[in-house]
Amino acid sequence: MKAIADRDRCEGLGMCEAMADHFFEVGEDGYVSVLDDTPGEEHRQDVTAAVDACPVLALSLQG
C-alpha cells in the first residue's frame, strides 16, 4: 500500500492528521505531507480512515 497526497487539492483542514498523525501532517505551509508513504498492512485501517476523512479528496491509496 502506498499513501499519496495531492498538495494541489489540499486545503490544510487536518482531518488526515487527526485520524492518522503517524502518517500525515499538515505543515506550517498549510499543506499535507505524507510522513510514511508505505505504511505496513497492520496500519491499513487507520490510513484508510484518514484518506476517507479528507473532505477535498486530496489523499489516495494505491495497492
Side-chain angles (χ1 to χ4, degrees), residues 1-61:
M1 156 176 68
K2 182 173 175 85
I4 300 167
D6 182 345
R7 291 175 54 94
D8 291 332
R9 283 186 169 217
C10 181
E11 294 183 3
L13 300 171
M15 297 300 294
C16 56
E17 187 174 21
M19 299 295 289
D21 64 348
H22 287 80
F23 301 99
F24 302 102
E25 177 180 68
V26 177
E28 290 183 19
D29 63 357
Y31 297 100
V32 66
S33 293
V34 179
L35 302 176
D36 180 355
D37 68 349
T38 55
E41 194 61 34
E42 68 275 15
H43 300 290
R44 181 177 287 274
Q45 185 174 358
D46 292 337
V47 175
T48 299
V51 169
D52 291 345
C54 182
V56 296
L57 306 174
L59 302 173
S60 61
L61 288 177

